[in-house]
Amino acid sequence: MFAARGYGEAIGHHGELLQGIFEDEDAHQLHRGLMSLPSRHLKSTATFEPNKSGKVTVSPARCEKARRAADLTLHVFSQIETSGHLTIKSKIPVGRGMGSSTADVLASILAVLDHLGVDAPPDRVMEIAVRAETACDSTLFKQAVLFAHREGIVIESFRRSLPPINLISIDTMADAIVDTLEFQPARYDRSEIEIFRPLRSLLRRAIKTSDPDLLGRVATASAWINERFLKKPRLEDIEAIGARYGAIGIQVAHSGTIVGIMFDPANKRTAENMELTSLHLRESGFEPTTFCH
């Protein structure tokens, strides 16, 4: 029996740790892929209320991709014609590269599945999400994965969670909005594609050994490779300030505006170093925000 109301929630992220082009496990095909840095404090929720309107509606009205995702989910999983109203609530900033639209879409799919009483595997959920959104992030997965965001498939599952990371977040273009779908995919050259292979190996080792310093090296390299496709104002200054106070690296939203300065929470001086970094950033004209991964 269907529940009278369906509920779903999904988290956002703070940009990416690695984004590029990678071989699949059989090394036969190249895929655009990424690993997001999930942020549990950023969340979208969706409520699906069935009705007899004959269509799926959404509020706020701007959440069209979420409405489309709910409609697709009903088409795939419902045995009878179902309509209803979807309500989205989100704490994720829009247009910053923090996964706001993906979180809305995933929460909507999960809300409809909850209404239908269906427990769908993650690959089916991601398939619908990509159909609704064209490209989506990997935040549905509890373990770390390298995810083909335009295909909805896992390139590699690392079978563990990411090591803990503390972040200072800077929005480098507070007045700009980046539409992820209108943002042209990066055209990596041959040398850049070759670099992604060892970076993937380093990422694998960082996760296997829970090594935040190594993770910081991977994220920093990826940030600079992708800098030529969407420049972050004063990225060199941000990196230099972080390095002065013991940061382990930087990471960015490769299709957004935010930059994260990464710190190892296990380091006894991290709290002090983050305070000093934040103070230096403010003195340099930035508006930092501190939080934990």
Side-chain angles (χ1 to χ4, degrees), residues 19 33 119 123 125 167 182 213:
Q19 181 163 334
D119 185 16
D123 59 336
V125 173
L167 279 182
E182 290 185 0
D213 292 279

Side-chain angles (χ1 to χ4, degrees), residues 130-167:
V130 169
R131 288 174 61 190
E133 198 185 1
T134 305
C136 62
D137 304 302
S138 58
T139 48
L140 179 71
F141 300 93
K142 297 190 185 309
Q143 73 273 24
V145 298
L146 188 62
F147 186 66
H149 50 295
R150 291 180 175 269
E151 302 171 72
I153 61 172
V154 173
I155 301 171
E156 180 176 356
S157 174
F158 298 95
R159 304 185 186 283
R160 295 189 180 194
S161 299
L162 291 168
I165 295 290
N166 285 2
L167 279 182

Side-chain angles (χ1 to χ4, degrees), residues 13-19 33-37 97-99 137 219 222-223 250-256 258 262:
H13 61 79
H14 195 278
E16 285 71 46
L17 292 167
L18 178 62
Q19 181 163 334
L34 55 76
M35 176 177 286
S36 302
L37 179 59
M98 304 177 84
D137 304 302
S222 181
I250 57 171
Q251 58 82 223
V252 304
H254 293 318
S255 58
I258 55 167
M262 305 168 65

Side-chain angles (χ1 to χ4, degrees), residues 80-99:
I80 60 174
E81 187 173 340
T82 306
S83 58
H85 183 73
L86 189 68
T87 302
I88 304 292
K89 296 181 180 180
S90 179
K91 296 181 178 179
I92 307 174
V94 176
R96 321 266 42 102
M98 304 177 84

